[in-house]
Amino acid sequence: MRHAAFRPDTLLALLLALGGCDAADTPRRQPPAVAPATDAAAAEAPRGPCDARSPLRNPYYGDLHIHTALSFDAFTSDARALPDDAYRFARGEPLRLPPLDAQGHPTREIRLERPLDFAAVTDHAEWIGEVSLCTRPGSPAYDLAGCRIFRGDTPVPADSLAGRMAGLTGSTPDQLLGQVSAPGRSVEVCGPDGSRCLEAQGTAWEQTRAATERWNDRSPACRFTAFHAYEYTATPQMSKVHRNVVFRNATVPERPISYLEEPDVDDLFRALADRCNDAGTGCQALAIPHNSNLSNGRMFTVTGRDTPLHAQRARAALRARMEPLVEIMQTKGDSECRNGMHGVVGPRDELCGFEKFRRPDTPDCGEGTGSGALLDQGCVSRLDFVRYALIEGLREQSRLGVNPYRLGITASTDTHNAAPGDTEETSFEGVFGVRDADVASRLSNAAQLSGAITNLRLNPGGLVGVWAEENARDALFDAMLRRETFGTSGPRIAPRLFGGWAYDRGLCASPALVEQGYADGVPMGGELPPAPAGAGAPVLVVSALRDPGAPGLKTAKLQRIQVIKGW
């Protein structure tokens, strides 16, 4: 099953492949043909073109949502793999997962059937310093009571995430699960001014950056691209308003900008612009919202309508500039569409029943918002879903003259196993460490992670596809900025979409389809120019190739292409 959507002012592909295909003791080997860089200047020195460069662009497949043991929730699930391990796995080498043995070593081994082309480790910026302090023997905080609780050395009721996080943050479990504002830092762990944890945050960020540079292949073979990135984990009142922040190159802020420092997403955008995109240093970032399906309507509901129009326009323009993409599919469900939503016209779409995380009887938010989605509470809104967010963007364009939701499509895994791209259904080993380490637990509907998640609702996640001239940072990042991207639920299909006013009706039979597609129109994610005099409706040119598979890996045929019109 495949989805595509067309907007009158912006063309993009919601091409979501819904059908699937028919450590601690891991040897520490250096990646082949990748020399570690000593600084950002060396990492981004001029380089020659890739051997496989094509002006008509190639499809590349990756994962831009990956957690390692540096993330608080991954560590409490007994994940012990670090960024180097995640990139090693993305390149096709084995990875070991929990359960842990008596010596604390992972006991399961997994391996990708096919390596990825690119990836980005996106550990939570929030409390990454605390996690580092509490899990590193000999650190100033390691033996403190809060750290012992977080590590699990001091048991808490039901060994819940909230209970262990209370030790890390100095909050009570009830405060964490019912937070009204951004939580703070533990005075015990961080010191009275928080400086101990901020310093450790910077050190952990440096550790991730060093691993990213080690695995980014700058040779002409361009076998693998690694991006610097992190997750901004805004969770107001247990609604998910998270973003993954991805950087073009090795020039990045000294520390990640987290929800603890900037609890409002507009402030995140302004901080990224000030410290990166507009700083004149060569730094450039983009943000990718994810799991809008768990946002209680908060991700795409337009706020601030009581402010002056010029301020609203500036805010919308900043969001459009900083957030060109959205993650439509991941292990916690599909965020494309949902049947029966308030304010949505058009017939029921059977494909909108795919991987819905919230229960069918969840109340509708109507024109409002709610809270508690991460605890399976509160309402669900049409503005939790990308199809309807795109329409909201058209409405804002009409009202303000600025569209904040010109969004290209991505998908990723959100793995908490440091296992990017592990989406093959026949070999799926879970995404949450020891919590879904066997078949019985993966089929369980018992509450996990303080009641927020049940394993039966999880799925293997997806991949992001990018059409770019070559597998290198600049080419891939430019493709993301122009939204020439697509998301799948795992299969490596190759969909292409072009739109124009004067395509020849016989173009699909032409060997020059792609060349003419670019020459006479715009690709997925592009904006159609105004209609020329006498033009009728725009013409869409759609091509899709099935996943070619690999030795021993069978794939399914394509079933359909679906074009969705929103207005």
Side-chain angles (χ1 to χ4, degrees):
M1 294 179 282
R2 311 290 179 264
H3 290 176
F6 170 70
R7 296 185 293 164
D9 68 332
T10 300
L11 190 65
L12 68 156
L14 298 187
L15 289 149
L16 177 60
L18 305 185
C21 297
D22 230 11
D25 52 350
T26 301
R28 293 297 193 263
R29 296 189 295 275
Q30 287 296 315
V34 179
T38 56
D39 54 34
E44 296 304 323
R47 56 176 294 172
C50 297
D51 291 340
R53 182 178 177 85
S54 169
L56 296 182
R57 298 168 186 163
N58 304 308
Y60 298 105
Y61 300 89
D63 191 342
L64 298 175
H65 197 167
I66 304 160
H67 293 278
T68 77
L70 294 176
S71 287
F72 57 86
D73 45 1
F75 184 88
T76 59
S77 300
D78 285 350
R80 294 297 179 264
L82 293 169
D84 273 309
D85 302 300
Y87 288 127
R88 182 179 292 110
F89 180 78
R91 286 297 304 130
E93 297 193 39
L95 174 72
R96 297 187 71 81
L97 303 178
L100 307 178
D101 63 20
Q103 289 72 46
H105 296 159
T107 56
R108 283 185 293 155
E109 184 171 285
I110 63 172
R111 190 170 193 158
L112 283 180
E113 285 82 355
R114 293 175 286 183
L116 295 176
D117 297 312
F118 63 93
V121 168
T122 55
D123 280 312
H124 297 289
E126 295 73 23
W127 304 299
I128 193 173
E130 286 89 326
V131 171
S132 178
L133 287 168
C134 285
T135 60
R136 189 177 73 249
S139 82
Y142 186 81
D143 290 322
L144 295 175
C147 285
R148 291 198 300 271
I149 291 172
F150 175 72
R151 289 196 305 273
D153 296 347
T154 301
V156 295
D159 193 34
S160 69
L161 173 63
R164 293 176 67 174
M165 284 299 297
L168 194 73
T169 65
S171 304
T172 67
D174 288 343
Q175 288 173 324
L176 285 166
L177 295 178
Q179 56 184 274
V180 176
S181 59
R185 298 188 184 277
S186 166
V187 172
E188 179 197 32
V189 175
C190 300
D193 60 356
S195 60
R196 181 191 292 160
C197 289
L198 287 174
E199 181 180 355
Q201 180 193 52
T203 301
W205 180 227
E206 289 175 6
Q207 176 184 349
T208 301
R209 289 163 55 196
T212 302
E213 287 306 320
R214 278 192 289 272
W215 287 91
N216 185 53
D217 184 1
R218 291 176 50 82
S219 77
C222 299
R223 285 181 291 267
F224 183 74
T225 299
F227 284 102
H228 298 280
Y230 70 89
E231 180 175 321
Y232 168 86
T233 315
T235 315
Q237 299 181 58
M238 297 309 290
S239 297
K240 257 199 169 190
V241 200
H242 299 186
R243 267 85 176 169
N244 290 328
V245 178
V246 182
F247 296 92
R248 174 186 286 273
N249 53 41
T251 303
V252 301
E254 182 181 8
R255 289 195 300 266
I257 301 164
S258 87
Y259 180 51
L260 301 179
E261 292 81 45
E262 301 292 352
D264 185 275
V265 70
D266 291 311
D267 292 333
L268 168 69
F269 294 152
R270 281 188 280 269
L272 284 172
D274 291 344
R275 302 180 206 175
C276 183
N277 292 40
D278 298 338
T281 60
C283 180
Q284 189 173 13
L286 59 81
I288 306 175
H290 71 82
N291 274 131
S292 59
N293 62 325
L294 298 177
S295 76
N296 297 112
R298 294 169 182 255
M299 187 72 81
F300 297 117
T301 292
V302 176
T303 58
R305 289 187 172 178
D306 56 343
T307 61
L309 281 178
H310 69 85
Q312 294 183 52
R313 292 189 187 100
R315 186 179 179 212
L318 178 62
R319 179 164 185 163
R321 180 163 70 103
M322 300 303 299
E323 197 165 86
L325 302 172
V326 60
E327 183 185 283
I328 203 171
M329 172 72 189
Q330 62 124 269
T331 189
K332 298 185 190 72
D334 163 80
S335 297
E336 180 183 354
C337 55
R338 185 181 176 113
N339 285 312
M341 299 307 302
H342 166 83
V344 175
V345 299
R348 178 180 177 85
D349 183 347
E350 65 175 343
L351 303 186
C352 288
F354 175 72
E355 288 294 348
K356 295 280 94 61
F357 196 87
R358 303 298 304 276
R359 295 192 310 267
D361 61 351
T362 304
D364 195 305
C365 298
E367 294 300 321
T369 58
S371 60
L374 269 173
L375 300 178
D376 205 19
Q377 298 172 2
C379 56
V380 62
S381 167
R382 72 176 186 277
L383 295 180
D384 288 339
F385 298 97
V386 175
R387 279 194 196 178
Y388 319 128
L390 297 175
I391 296 170
E392 192 72 7
L394 297 179
R395 184 177 288 115
E396 286 300 283
Q397 174 78 41
S398 177
R399 186 178 74 90
L400 289 178
V402 179
N403 185 343
Y405 305 139
R406 295 182 184 273
L407 298 168
I409 304 305
T410 74
S412 285
T413 62
D414 193 12
T415 176
H416 283 61
N417 282 341
D422 186 23
T423 59
E424 294 296 343
E425 296 171 3
T426 55
S427 60
F428 181 54
E429 288 280 346
V431 295
F432 250 110
V434 72
R435 300 178 192 272
D436 59 355
D438 54 57
V439 172
S441 64
R442 290 195 285 278
L443 294 175
S444 171
N445 208 29
Q448 291 275 15
L449 297 180
S450 303
I453 293 170
T454 65
N455 290 338
L456 193 58
R457 298 187 192 182
L458 300 177
N459 70 85
L463 298 178
V464 53
V466 173
W467 287 101
E469 291 83 358
E470 60 184 358
N471 186 17
R473 282 176 176 169
D474 282 339
L476 295 173
F477 198 87
D478 285 342
M480 294 183 216
L481 291 179
R482 66 175 178 265
R483 304 182 291 270
E484 198 171 354
T485 62
F486 57 94
T488 90
S489 59
R492 301 189 187 189
I493 60 171
R496 301 197 92 159
L497 179 68
F498 296 96
W501 298 103
Y503 285 129
D504 187 281
R505 296 288 174 170
L507 184 56
C508 283
S510 170
L513 184 155
V514 174
E515 187 174 4
Q516 290 303 117
Y518 284 118
D520 297 337
V522 296
M524 60 173 70
E527 298 176 37
L528 280 173
V539 177
L540 301 184
V541 180
V542 186
S543 165
L545 301 177
R546 67 178 288 183
D547 184 335
L553 180 64
K554 294 182 178 180
T555 62
K557 295 180 179 180
L558 300 180
Q559 183 188 64
R560 73 180 76 175
I561 290 173
Q562 187 180 39
V563 178
I564 308 300
K565 180 180 179 180
W567 67 95

